[in-house]
């Protein structure tokens, strides 16, 4: 649950009904077929999984906004404070007034990006802001926030699953492009997939363009655990809502209320694993997937991993994906880090 971005309130959220959510638009029959195939493969894996991108229908995006406002959920406010403190240094690394394009992957509500745009404007740049998100709700919120707060910034939106494709608009002539991948979302992937994703980003950059990557760092296990197990139950509602979204896409018959939210922090693996665990034995019609899923009481479906990193691990990832690490920034409490990498001419690989 690392989003850019990527909000939580102190009241218990009501789980949305299955008929209500709107999902990100599937842009073609091929994309729809690929999405169903991905779901089918995920449920046939060991352990069974549901891709975490299905958290972010309209209802899920709204729940995540609640999550980021919870006292227990420290990553968003910690990263925001770090960005605000280091915005000028980040802009210096991308050329100040030479910056012409800011692309944010998983824009969420873009609340953390405003400080970077402010620093760019103060440096004399007039960048275009390109928001990329799988959630139409998140893109609408981003447009609302930026049009009100920074109407002078040109805005473009891309509704896409950037884990599979990255259909960015043509870049402005000249200048430099900054791609931000913040919110700790890089922790949703194991190293090989994380490197492939970052290398795909590199393909859209010229030599000398810059990647800003945000990552959750290893810290007190009790603090991490509480961030994903808030007593208000907002994260549990967010987790169950994933099944509501999957039902709307696959016409499956998951009953979210028949599953318990389970999100332990695994100290030895330095990760949170979010699960939905069956309260009783059940058979689930998977609709367009053409399968029936049988679960015993206590069997679970994993919905997300959220890794915690050390500095050297993040620098190694961006280096392997084609970026030369240039700057490392860390919050005073050591819970969150930002890495700047400059796109170079060739990949080194692992």
């Amino acid at each position: 649950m690392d989003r850019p971005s990527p909000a939580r309130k102190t009241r218990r959220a009501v789980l949305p009904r299955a008929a209500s959510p709107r999902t990100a638009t599937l842009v073609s029959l091929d994309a729809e077929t690929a999405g169903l195939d991905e779901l089918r493969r995920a449920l046939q894996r060991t352990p069974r999984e549901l891709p975490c991108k299905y958290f972010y229908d309209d209802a899920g995006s709204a729940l995540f906004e609640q999550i980021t406002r919870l006292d227990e959920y420290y990553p968003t406010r910690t990263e925001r404070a770090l960005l605000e403190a280091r915005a000028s240094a980040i802009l210096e690394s991308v050329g100040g007034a030479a910056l012409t394009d800011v692309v944010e992957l998983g824009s969420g509500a873009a609340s953390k990006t405003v400080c970077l745009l402010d620093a760019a404007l103060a440096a004399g740049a007039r960048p275009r802001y390109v928001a990329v998100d799988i959630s139409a709700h998140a893109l609408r919120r981003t447009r609302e926030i930026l049009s009100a707060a920074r109407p002078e910034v040109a805005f473009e939106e891309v509704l896409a699953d950037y884990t599979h494709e990255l259909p960015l608009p043509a870049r402005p002539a000249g200048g430099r492009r900054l791609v931000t991948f913040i919110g700790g979302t890089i922790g949703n992937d194991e190293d090989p997939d994380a490197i492939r994703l970052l290398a795909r980003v590199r393909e859209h950059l010229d030599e000398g363009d810059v990647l800003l990557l945000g990552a959750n760092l290893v810290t007190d296990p009790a603090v991490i655990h509480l961030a994903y197990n808030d007593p208000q139950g907002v994260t549990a509602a967010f987790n169950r809502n994933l099944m509501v979204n999957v039902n709307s896409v696959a016409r499956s018959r998951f009953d979210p209320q028949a599953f318990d939210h389970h999100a332990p922090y695994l100290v030895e693996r330095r990760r949170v694993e979010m699960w939905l665990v069956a309260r009783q034995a059940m058979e689930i019609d998977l609709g367009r997937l053409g399968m029936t899923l049988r679960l015993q009481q206590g069997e679970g479906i994993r919905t997300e991993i959220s890794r915690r990193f050390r500095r050297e691990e993040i620098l190694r990832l961006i280096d392997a994906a084609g970026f030369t690490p240039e700057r490392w920034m860390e919050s005073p409490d050591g819970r969150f880090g930002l890495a700047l990498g400059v796109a170079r001419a060739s990949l080194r690989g692992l």
Side-chain angles (χ1 to χ4, degrees):
M1 181 181 60
D2 299 306
R3 248 181 83 112
S5 299
R8 313 177 174 191
K9 265 188 181 170
T10 55
R11 295 179 186 154
R12 180 177 298 276
V14 176
L15 186 68
R17 289 184 290 181
S20 63
R22 290 165 48 186
T23 60
T25 303
L26 291 169
V27 296
S28 70
L29 183 59
D30 287 346
E32 185 176 4
T33 300
L36 294 174
D37 286 344
E38 180 185 36
L39 277 170
R40 189 179 298 109
R41 290 194 304 272
L43 286 168
Q44 290 173 332
R45 282 198 285 265
T46 302
R48 296 182 183 90
E49 293 181 307
L50 287 170
C52 62
K53 66 185 179 184
Y54 289 100
F55 283 133
Y56 299 106
D57 63 351
D58 283 8
S61 294
L63 283 166
F64 188 76
E65 286 185 33
Q66 292 183 44
I67 285 169
T68 62
R69 292 192 293 269
L70 287 175
D71 290 342
E72 294 85 358
Y73 193 74
Y74 66 86
T76 299
R77 64 176 176 271
T78 304
E79 183 182 36
R80 181 184 292 113
L82 180 58
L83 283 166
E84 290 172 350
R86 304 306 294 270
S88 295
I90 293 168
L91 260 292
E92 178 185 331
S93 294
V94 298
L99 179 66
T100 55
D101 224 15
V102 177
V103 178
E104 183 167 10
L105 305 183
S107 63
S111 60
K112 291 178 289 189
T113 314
V114 171
C115 66
L116 294 178
L117 295 173
D118 283 346
L121 294 170
R126 291 296 180 266
R128 172 184 65 174
Y129 174 73
V130 181
V132 184
D133 207 288
I134 196 172
S135 166
H137 170 89
L139 290 173
R140 287 195 302 274
R141 288 282 295 132
T142 299
R143 180 178 289 278
E144 290 168 3
I145 289 170
L146 285 183
S147 63
R150 303 295 179 271
E152 66 272 39
V153 175
F155 177 87
E156 291 195 36
E157 61 187 59
V158 178
L159 181 64
D161 175 7
Y162 57 77
T163 64
H164 292 297
E165 58 178 347
L166 192 53
L168 294 181
R171 58 182 295 150
R176 299 180 76 180
R177 171 174 272 180
L178 169 67
V179 174
T180 70
F181 190 35
I182 55 180
T185 310
I186 194 65
N188 295 155
D189 288 318
E190 304 288 1
D191 280 0
D193 286 338
I195 292 169
R196 277 191 287 271
L197 173 58
L198 296 177
R200 192 178 311 121
V201 171
R202 171 64 187 88
E203 294 171 1
H204 292 269
L205 302 180
D206 290 341
E207 186 176 355
D209 287 341
V210 177
L211 169 73
L212 176 65
L213 181 65
N216 283 295
L217 304 180
V218 176
T219 188
D220 182 352
V223 171
I224 297 173
H225 177 83
L226 191 58
Y228 292 78
N229 294 275
D230 60 278
Q232 297 85 0
V234 186
T235 308
F238 174 76
N239 197 12
R240 292 190 186 101
N241 183 70
L242 177 144
M243 286 184 167
V244 178
N245 194 12
V246 169
N247 283 346
S248 69
V249 171
R251 299 175 195 161
S252 51
R253 295 183 175 274
F254 285 106
D255 176 5
Q257 296 299 338
F259 290 82
D260 286 321
H261 168 72
H262 181 58
Y265 177 61
L266 308 179
V267 175
E268 69 283 1
R269 303 193 69 186
R270 292 186 283 117
R271 67 175 64 194
V272 176
E273 292 196 357
M274 293 234 299
W275 293 76
L276 290 168
V277 179
R279 292 176 176 172
Q280 60 190 31
M282 62 182 73
E283 290 191 4
I284 303 158
D285 177 6
L286 296 181
R288 298 171 72 193
L289 304 186
M291 301 162 50
T292 298
L293 178 64
R294 295 175 177 83
L295 295 174
Q296 298 300 313
Q297 182 180 10
E299 281 194 283
I301 300 172
R302 190 167 65 185
T303 56
E304 185 183 64
I305 65 168
S306 180
R307 299 167 63 195
R308 267 47 188 171
F309 295 94
R310 296 190 174 97
R311 172 183 180 273
E312 62 272 14
E313 293 169 326
I314 290 298
L315 299 182
R316 175 174 168 268
L317 286 180
I318 63 174
D319 182 63
F323 298 90
T324 299
E326 179 172 285
R327 191 186 293 260
W328 173 257
M329 297 156 281
E330 193 168 304
S331 63
D333 59 11
R335 292 178 178 177
F336 206 93
L338 293 169
L340 276 173
V342 178
R344 60 174 183 267
S346 61
L347 305 184
R348 274 200 266 275
L350 283 172

